[in-house]
PDB file of all heavy atoms in Angstrom:
ATOM      1  N   ALA A  29      -8.789  -5.920 -23.285  1.00 98.00           N
ATOM      2  CA  ALA A  29      -7.727  -6.900 -23.565  1.00 98.00           C
ATOM      3  C   ALA A  29      -6.758  -7.019 -22.458  1.00 98.00           C
ATOM      4  O   ALA A  29      -6.366  -8.189 -22.085  1.00 98.00           O
ATOM      5  CB  ALA A  29      -7.003  -6.466 -24.904  1.00 98.00           C
ATOM      6  N   TYR A  30      -6.290  -5.944 -21.934  1.00 98.00           N
ATOM      7  CA  TYR A  30      -5.313  -5.976 -20.791  1.00 98.00           C
ATOM      8  C   TYR A  30      -5.899  -6.635 -19.531  1.00 98.00           C
ATOM      9  O   TYR A  30      -5.282  -7.535 -18.949  1.00 98.00           O
ATOM     10  CB  TYR A  30      -4.833  -4.526 -20.482  1.00 98.00           C
ATOM     11  CG  TYR A  30      -3.836  -4.363 -19.474  1.00 98.00           C
ATOM     12  CD1 TYR A  30      -2.502  -4.795 -19.681  1.00 98.00           C
ATOM     13  CD2 TYR A  30      -4.099  -3.891 -18.171  1.00 98.00           C
ATOM     14  CE1 TYR A  30      -1.572  -4.666 -18.630  1.00 98.00           C
ATOM     15  CE2 TYR A  30      -3.178  -3.747 -17.196  1.00 98.00           C
ATOM     16  CZ  TYR A  30      -1.896  -4.146 -17.391  1.00 98.00           C
ATOM     17  OH  TYR A  30      -0.941  -3.923 -16.434  1.00 98.00           O
ATOM     18  N   SER A  31      -7.128  -6.289 -19.190  1.00 98.00           N
ATOM     19  CA  SER A  31      -7.677  -6.764 -17.932  1.00 98.00           C
ATOM     20  C   SER A  31      -7.985  -8.320 -18.117  1.00 98.00           C
ATOM     21  O   SER A  31      -7.821  -9.074 -17.171  1.00 98.00           O
ATOM     22  CB  SER A  31      -9.002  -6.076 -17.537  1.00 98.00           C
ATOM     23  OG  SER A  31     -10.016  -6.262 -18.519  1.00 98.00           O
ATOM     24  N   GLN A  32      -8.493  -8.703 -19.378  1.00 98.00           N
ATOM     25  CA  GLN A  32      -8.759 -10.132 -19.521  1.00 98.00           C
ATOM     26  C   GLN A  32      -7.454 -10.914 -19.524  1.00 98.00           C
ATOM     27  O   GLN A  32      -7.482 -12.069 -19.071  1.00 98.00           O
ATOM     28  CB  GLN A  32      -9.579 -10.342 -20.846  1.00 98.00           C
ATOM     29  CG  GLN A  32     -10.992  -9.883 -20.612  1.00 98.00           C
ATOM     30  CD  GLN A  32     -11.786 -10.013 -21.940  1.00 98.00           C
ATOM     31  OE1 GLN A  32     -11.297 -10.226 -23.024  1.00 98.00           O
ATOM     32  NE2 GLN A  32     -13.126 -10.011 -21.773  1.00 98.00           N
ATOM     33  N   GLU A  33      -6.406 -10.354 -20.012  1.00 98.00           N
ATOM     34  CA  GLU A  33      -5.134 -11.156 -19.973  1.00 98.00           C
ATOM     35  C   GLU A  33      -4.645 -11.318 -18.503  1.00 98.00           C
ATOM     36  O   GLU A  33      -4.178 -12.377 -18.104  1.00 98.00           O
ATOM     37  CB  GLU A  33      -4.047 -10.411 -20.784  1.00 98.00           C
ATOM     38  CG  GLU A  33      -2.725 -11.187 -20.731  1.00 98.00           C
ATOM     39  CD  GLU A  33      -2.796 -12.597 -21.222  1.00 98.00           C
ATOM     40  OE1 GLU A  33      -3.620 -12.952 -22.053  1.00 98.00           O
ATOM     41  OE2 GLU A  33      -1.907 -13.342 -20.736  1.00 98.00           O
ATOM     42  N   LEU A  34      -4.787 -10.332 -17.744  1.00 98.00           N
ATOM     43  CA  LEU A  34      -4.529 -10.427 -16.265  1.00 98.00           C
ATOM     44  C   LEU A  34      -5.397 -11.391 -15.537  1.00 98.00           C
ATOM     45  O   LEU A  34      -4.906 -12.151 -14.643  1.00 98.00           O
ATOM     46  CB  LEU A  34      -4.565  -9.009 -15.568  1.00 98.00           C
ATOM     47  CG  LEU A  34      -3.534  -7.985 -15.978  1.00 98.00           C
ATOM     48  CD1 LEU A  34      -3.739  -6.673 -15.251  1.00 98.00           C
ATOM     49  CD2 LEU A  34      -2.036  -8.522 -15.613  1.00 98.00           C
ATOM     50  N   GLN A  35      -6.623 -11.479 -15.974  1.00 98.00           N
ATOM     51  CA  GLN A  35      -7.534 -12.460 -15.433  1.00 98.00           C
ATOM     52  C   GLN A  35      -7.123 -13.846 -15.830  1.00 98.00           C
ATOM     53  O   GLN A  35      -7.149 -14.810 -14.955  1.00 98.00           O
ATOM     54  CB  GLN A  35      -8.957 -12.166 -15.853  1.00 98.00           C
ATOM     55  CG  GLN A  35      -9.608 -10.927 -15.252  1.00 98.00           C
ATOM     56  CD  GLN A  35     -10.930 -10.669 -15.816  1.00 98.00           C
ATOM     57  OE1 GLN A  35     -11.889 -11.362 -15.648  1.00 98.00           O
ATOM     58  NE2 GLN A  35     -11.024  -9.536 -16.555  1.00 98.00           N
ATOM     59  N   ARG A  36      -6.803 -14.018 -17.061  1.00 98.00           N
ATOM     60  CA  ARG A  36      -6.257 -15.337 -17.490  1.00 98.00           C
ATOM     61  C   ARG A  36      -5.051 -15.817 -16.723  1.00 98.00           C
ATOM     62  O   ARG A  36      -4.909 -17.015 -16.481  1.00 98.00           O
ATOM     63  CB  ARG A  36      -5.998 -15.341 -18.973  1.00 98.00           C
ATOM     64  CG  ARG A  36      -7.335 -15.431 -19.777  1.00 98.00           C
ATOM     65  CD  ARG A  36      -6.963 -15.813 -21.232  1.00 98.00           C
ATOM     66  NE  ARG A  36      -7.070 -14.851 -22.326  1.00 98.00           N
ATOM     67  CZ  ARG A  36      -7.911 -13.723 -22.563  1.00 98.00           C
ATOM     68  NH1 ARG A  36      -8.787 -13.474 -21.582  1.00 98.00           N
ATOM     69  NH2 ARG A  36      -7.851 -13.076 -23.545  1.00 98.00           N
ATOM     70  N   THR A  37      -4.134 -14.915 -16.401  1.00 98.00           N
ATOM     71  CA  THR A  37      -2.943 -15.268 -15.660  1.00 98.00           C
ATOM     72  C   THR A  37      -3.192 -15.540 -14.131  1.00 98.00           C
ATOM     73  O   THR A  37      -2.342 -16.067 -13.475  1.00 98.00           O
ATOM     74  CB  THR A  37      -1.869 -14.220 -15.773  1.00 98.00           C
ATOM     75  OG1 THR A  37      -2.259 -13.045 -15.088  1.00 98.00           O
ATOM     76  CG2 THR A  37      -1.505 -13.827 -17.238  1.00 98.00           C
ATOM     77  N   GLY A  38      -4.338 -15.172 -13.656  1.00 97.00           N
ATOM     78  CA  GLY A  38      -4.647 -15.319 -12.227  1.00 97.00           C
ATOM     79  C   GLY A  38      -4.322 -14.157 -11.403  1.00 97.00           C
ATOM     80  O   GLY A  38      -4.609 -14.064 -10.223  1.00 97.00           O
ATOM     81  N   LYS A  39      -3.682 -13.060 -11.956  1.00 98.00           N
ATOM     82  CA  LYS A  39      -3.343 -11.918 -11.274  1.00 98.00           C
ATOM     83  C   LYS A  39      -4.594 -11.164 -10.799  1.00 98.00           C
ATOM     84  O   LYS A  39      -4.614 -10.533  -9.786  1.00 98.00           O
ATOM     85  CB  LYS A  39      -2.398 -11.053 -12.024  1.00 98.00           C
ATOM     86  CG  LYS A  39      -1.083 -11.604 -12.449  1.00 98.00           C
ATOM     87  CD  LYS A  39      -0.126 -11.749 -11.348  1.00 98.00           C
ATOM     88  CE  LYS A  39       1.216 -12.345 -11.815  1.00 98.00           C
ATOM     89  NZ  LYS A  39       2.116 -12.529 -10.738  1.00 98.00           N
ATOM     90  N   TRP A  40      -5.518 -11.038 -11.710  1.00 98.00           N
ATOM     91  CA  TRP A  40      -6.772 -10.317 -11.501  1.00 98.00           C
ATOM     92  C   TRP A  40      -7.864 -11.415 -11.257  1.00 98.00           C
ATOM     93  O   TRP A  40      -8.436 -11.949 -12.144  1.00 98.00           O
ATOM     94  CB  TRP A  40      -7.111  -9.496 -12.697  1.00 98.00           C
ATOM     95  CG  TRP A  40      -8.219  -8.430 -12.492  1.00 98.00           C
ATOM     96  CD1 TRP A  40      -9.292  -8.470 -11.684  1.00 98.00           C
ATOM     97  CD2 TRP A  40      -8.291  -7.136 -13.151  1.00 98.00           C
ATOM     98  NE1 TRP A  40      -9.985  -7.282 -11.786  1.00 98.00           N
ATOM     99  CE2 TRP A  40      -9.323  -6.471 -12.703  1.00 98.00           C
ATOM    100  CE3 TRP A  40      -7.444  -6.589 -14.125  1.00 98.00           C
ATOM    101  CZ2 TRP A  40      -9.741  -5.210 -13.157  1.00 98.00           C
ATOM    102  CZ3 TRP A  40      -7.792  -5.321 -14.543  1.00 98.00           C
ATOM    103  CH2 TRP A  40      -8.885  -4.607 -14.054  1.00 98.00           C
ATOM    104  N   ARG A  41      -8.084 -11.791  -9.939  1.00 97.00           N
ATOM    105  CA  ARG A  41      -8.861 -12.913  -9.648  1.00 97.00           C
ATOM    106  C   ARG A  41     -10.373 -12.714  -9.834  1.00 97.00           C
ATOM    107  O   ARG A  41     -11.011 -13.667 -10.272  1.00 97.00           O
ATOM    108  CB  ARG A  41      -8.620 -13.417  -8.211  1.00 97.00           C
ATOM    109  CG  ARG A  41      -7.150 -13.814  -7.995  1.00 97.00           C
ATOM    110  CD  ARG A  41      -6.942 -15.160  -7.400  1.00 97.00           C
ATOM    111  NE  ARG A  41      -7.962 -15.792  -6.604  1.00 97.00           N
ATOM    112  CZ  ARG A  41      -7.728 -16.221  -5.410  1.00 97.00           C
ATOM    113  NH1 ARG A  41      -6.505 -16.133  -4.826  1.00 97.00           N
ATOM    114  NH2 ARG A  41      -8.707 -16.763  -4.730  1.00 97.00           N
ATOM    115  N   HIS A  42     -10.825 -11.603  -9.494  1.00 97.00           N
ATOM    116  CA  HIS A  42     -12.248 -11.327  -9.526  1.00 97.00           C
ATOM    117  C   HIS A  42     -12.487  -9.873 -10.004  1.00 97.00           C
ATOM    118  O   HIS A  42     -11.698  -8.979  -9.614  1.00 97.00           O
ATOM    119  CB  HIS A  42     -13.007 -11.558  -8.183  1.00 97.00           C
ATOM    120  CG  HIS A  42     -12.781 -12.904  -7.617  1.00 97.00           C
ATOM    121  ND1 HIS A  42     -13.554 -13.944  -8.070  1.00 97.00           N
ATOM    122  CD2 HIS A  42     -11.969 -13.387  -6.663  1.00 97.00           C
ATOM    123  CE1 HIS A  42     -13.162 -15.064  -7.349  1.00 97.00           C
ATOM    124  NE2 HIS A  42     -12.225 -14.719  -6.549  1.00 97.00           N
ATOM    125  N   ILE A  43     -13.606  -9.602 -10.688  1.00 98.00           N
ATOM    126  CA  ILE A  43     -14.024  -8.284 -11.015  1.00 98.00           C
ATOM    127  C   ILE A  43     -15.514  -8.208 -10.963  1.00 98.00           C
ATOM    128  O   ILE A  43     -16.191  -9.127 -11.581  1.00 98.00           O
ATOM    129  CB  ILE A  43     -13.443  -7.806 -12.373  1.00 98.00           C
ATOM    130  CG1 ILE A  43     -13.829  -6.427 -12.698  1.00 98.00           C
ATOM    131  CG2 ILE A  43     -13.843  -8.769 -13.502  1.00 98.00           C
ATOM    132  CD1 ILE A  43     -13.131  -5.776 -13.880  1.00 98.00           C
ATOM    133  N   TRP A  44     -16.015  -7.231 -10.305  1.00 98.00           N
ATOM    134  CA  TRP A  44     -17.521  -7.092 -10.177  1.00 98.00           C
ATOM    135  C   TRP A  44     -17.814  -5.612 -10.538  1.00 98.00           C
ATOM    136  O   TRP A  44     -17.147  -4.599 -10.072  1.00 98.00           O
ATOM    137  CB  TRP A  44     -18.041  -7.342  -8.829  1.00 98.00           C
ATOM    138  CG  TRP A  44     -17.990  -8.719  -8.383  1.00 98.00           C
ATOM    139  CD1 TRP A  44     -18.801  -9.724  -8.685  1.00 98.00           C
ATOM    140  CD2 TRP A  44     -16.909  -9.288  -7.587  1.00 98.00           C
ATOM    141  NE1 TRP A  44     -18.348 -10.900  -8.153  1.00 98.00           N
ATOM    142  CE2 TRP A  44     -17.181 -10.661  -7.490  1.00 98.00           C
ATOM    143  CE3 TRP A  44     -15.711  -8.830  -7.018  1.00 98.00           C
ATOM    144  CZ2 TRP A  44     -16.392 -11.519  -6.709  1.00 98.00           C
ATOM    145  CZ3 TRP A  44     -14.936  -9.647  -6.343  1.00 98.00           C
ATOM    146  CH2 TRP A  44     -15.231 -11.046  -6.172  1.00 98.00           C
ATOM    147  N   ARG A  45     -18.852  -5.359 -11.312  1.00 97.00           N
ATOM    148  CA  ARG A  45     -19.405  -4.052 -11.520  1.00 97.00           C
ATOM    149  C   ARG A  45     -20.098  -3.573 -10.309  1.00 97.00           C
ATOM    150  O   ARG A  45     -20.706  -4.326  -9.561  1.00 97.00           O
ATOM    151  CB  ARG A  45     -20.386  -4.124 -12.699  1.00 97.00           C
ATOM    152  CG  ARG A  45     -19.845  -3.758 -13.967  1.00 97.00           C
ATOM    153  CD  ARG A  45     -21.047  -3.615 -14.941  1.00 97.00           C
ATOM    154  NE  ARG A  45     -20.478  -3.342 -16.173  1.00 97.00           N
ATOM    155  CZ  ARG A  45     -21.086  -3.406 -17.349  1.00 97.00           C
ATOM    156  NH1 ARG A  45     -22.388  -3.781 -17.361  1.00 97.00           N
ATOM    157  NH2 ARG A  45     -20.498  -3.151 -18.480  1.00 97.00           N
ATOM    158  N   ILE A  46     -20.121  -2.250 -10.103  1.00 98.00           N
ATOM    159  CA  ILE A  46     -20.987  -1.596  -9.057  1.00 98.00           C
ATOM    160  C   ILE A  46     -22.186  -1.095  -9.773  1.00 98.00           C
ATOM    161  O   ILE A  46     -22.033  -0.174 -10.686  1.00 98.00           O
ATOM    162  CB  ILE A  46     -20.165  -0.599  -8.348  1.00 98.00           C
ATOM    163  CG1 ILE A  46     -18.957  -1.220  -7.681  1.00 98.00           C
ATOM    164  CG2 ILE A  46     -21.077   0.123  -7.292  1.00 98.00           C
ATOM    165  CD1 ILE A  46     -18.036  -0.203  -7.015  1.00 98.00           C
ATOM    166  N   ALA A  47     -23.312  -1.549  -9.476  1.00 98.00           N
ATOM    167  CA  ALA A  47     -24.546  -1.136 -10.152  1.00 98.00           C
ATOM    168  C   ALA A  47     -24.769   0.397 -10.135  1.00 98.00           C
ATOM    169  O   ALA A  47     -24.549   0.943  -9.110  1.00 98.00           O
ATOM    170  CB  ALA A  47     -25.809  -1.863  -9.566  1.00 98.00           C
ATOM    171  N   GLY A  48     -25.072   0.916 -11.316  1.00 97.00           N
ATOM    172  CA  GLY A  48     -25.340   2.316 -11.419  1.00 97.00           C
ATOM    173  C   GLY A  48     -24.149   3.250 -11.445  1.00 97.00           C
ATOM    174  O   GLY A  48     -24.285   4.510 -11.439  1.00 97.00           O
ATOM    175  N   GLN A  49     -22.999   2.657 -11.491  1.00 98.00           N
ATOM    176  CA  GLN A  49     -21.757   3.518 -11.461  1.00 98.00           C
ATOM    177  C   GLN A  49     -20.757   2.960 -12.501  1.00 98.00           C
ATOM    178  O   GLN A  49     -20.845   1.825 -12.911  1.00 98.00           O
ATOM    179  CB  GLN A  49     -21.046   3.434 -10.117  1.00 98.00           C
ATOM    180  CG  GLN A  49     -21.837   3.928  -8.991  1.00 98.00           C
ATOM    181  CD  GLN A  49     -21.170   3.792  -7.663  1.00 98.00           C
ATOM    182  OE1 GLN A  49     -19.934   3.951  -7.463  1.00 98.00           O
ATOM    183  NE2 GLN A  49     -21.849   3.485  -6.564  1.00 98.00           N
ATOM    184  N   TYR A  50     -19.939   3.900 -13.012  1.00 97.00           N
ATOM    185  CA  TYR A  50     -18.813   3.411 -13.858  1.00 97.00           C
ATOM    186  C   TYR A  50     -17.677   3.080 -12.949  1.00 97.00           C
ATOM    187  O   TYR A  50     -16.722   3.883 -12.739  1.00 97.00           O
ATOM    188  CB  TYR A  50     -18.456   4.510 -14.859  1.00 97.00           C
ATOM    189  CG  TYR A  50     -17.634   4.061 -16.008  1.00 97.00           C
ATOM    190  CD1 TYR A  50     -17.304   4.882 -17.081  1.00 97.00           C
ATOM    191  CD2 TYR A  50     -17.089   2.701 -16.086  1.00 97.00           C
ATOM    192  CE1 TYR A  50     -16.540   4.502 -18.145  1.00 97.00           C
ATOM    193  CE2 TYR A  50     -16.404   2.271 -17.159  1.00 97.00           C
ATOM    194  CZ  TYR A  50     -16.034   3.144 -18.166  1.00 97.00           C
ATOM    195  OH  TYR A  50     -15.254   2.775 -19.253  1.00 97.00           O
ATOM    196  N   ALA A  51     -17.786   1.952 -12.322  1.00 98.00           N
ATOM    197  CA  ALA A  51     -16.815   1.511 -11.297  1.00 98.00           C
ATOM    198  C   ALA A  51     -16.901   0.043 -11.098  1.00 98.00           C
ATOM    199  O   ALA A  51     -17.761  -0.662 -11.531  1.00 98.00           O
ATOM    200  CB  ALA A  51     -17.241   2.208  -9.896  1.00 98.00           C
ATOM    201  N   ASN A  52     -15.796  -0.490 -10.527  1.00 98.00           N
ATOM    202  CA  ASN A  52     -15.750  -1.976 -10.229  1.00 98.00           C
ATOM    203  C   ASN A  52     -15.005  -2.161  -8.945  1.00 98.00           C
ATOM    204  O   ASN A  52     -14.237  -1.312  -8.447  1.00 98.00           O
ATOM    205  CB  ASN A  52     -15.122  -2.770 -11.398  1.00 98.00           C
ATOM    206  CG  ASN A  52     -13.650  -2.583 -11.478  1.00 98.00           C
ATOM    207  OD1 ASN A  52     -12.838  -3.040 -10.681  1.00 98.00           O
ATOM    208  ND2 ASN A  52     -13.193  -1.769 -12.454  1.00 98.00           N
ATOM    209  N   ILE A  53     -15.279  -3.324  -8.359  1.00 98.00           N
ATOM    210  CA  ILE A  53     -14.458  -3.835  -7.256  1.00 98.00           C
ATOM    211  C   ILE A  53     -13.852  -5.084  -7.775  1.00 98.00           C
ATOM    212  O   ILE A  53     -14.435  -6.018  -8.349  1.00 98.00           O
ATOM    213  CB  ILE A  53     -15.375  -4.067  -6.047  1.00 98.00           C
ATOM    214  CG1 ILE A  53     -15.840  -2.792  -5.508  1.00 98.00           C
ATOM    215  CG2 ILE A  53     -14.685  -4.952  -4.995  1.00 98.00           C
ATOM    216  CD1 ILE A  53     -16.835  -2.984  -4.290  1.00 98.00           C
ATOM    217  N   SER A  54     -12.494  -5.178  -7.516  1.00 98.00           N
ATOM    218  CA  SER A  54     -11.734  -6.330  -8.003  1.00 98.00           C
ATOM    219  C   SER A  54     -10.894  -6.848  -6.942  1.00 98.00           C
ATOM    220  O   SER A  54     -10.499  -6.231  -5.900  1.00 98.00           O
ATOM    221  CB  SER A  54     -10.836  -5.872  -9.169  1.00 98.00           C
ATOM    222  OG  SER A  54     -11.623  -5.413 -10.317  1.00 98.00           O
ATOM    223  N   ILE A  55     -10.509  -8.146  -7.070  1.00 98.00           N
ATOM    224  CA  ILE A  55      -9.546  -8.814  -6.178  1.00 98.00           C
ATOM    225  C   ILE A  55      -8.287  -9.134  -7.009  1.00 98.00           C
ATOM    226  O   ILE A  55      -8.479  -9.855  -8.064  1.00 98.00           O
ATOM    227  CB  ILE A  55     -10.174 -10.065  -5.509  1.00 98.00           C
ATOM    228  CG1 ILE A  55     -11.378  -9.752  -4.772  1.00 98.00           C
ATOM    229  CG2 ILE A  55      -9.055 -10.712  -4.691  1.00 98.00           C
ATOM    230  CD1 ILE A  55     -11.182  -8.889  -3.603  1.00 98.00           C
TER     231      ILE A  55
END
Side-chain angles (χ1 to χ4, degrees):
Y30 181 73
S31 68
Q32 287 182 342
E33 180 57 28
L34 291 176
Q35 290 173 67
R36 284 196 251 323
T37 67
K39 301 283 183 185
W40 196 326
R41 296 235 334 234
H42 301 281
I43 182 170
W44 293 278
R45 264 190 181 162
I46 300 174
Q49 299 178 35
Y50 194 175
N52 74 73
I53 291 177
S54 296
I55 303 295

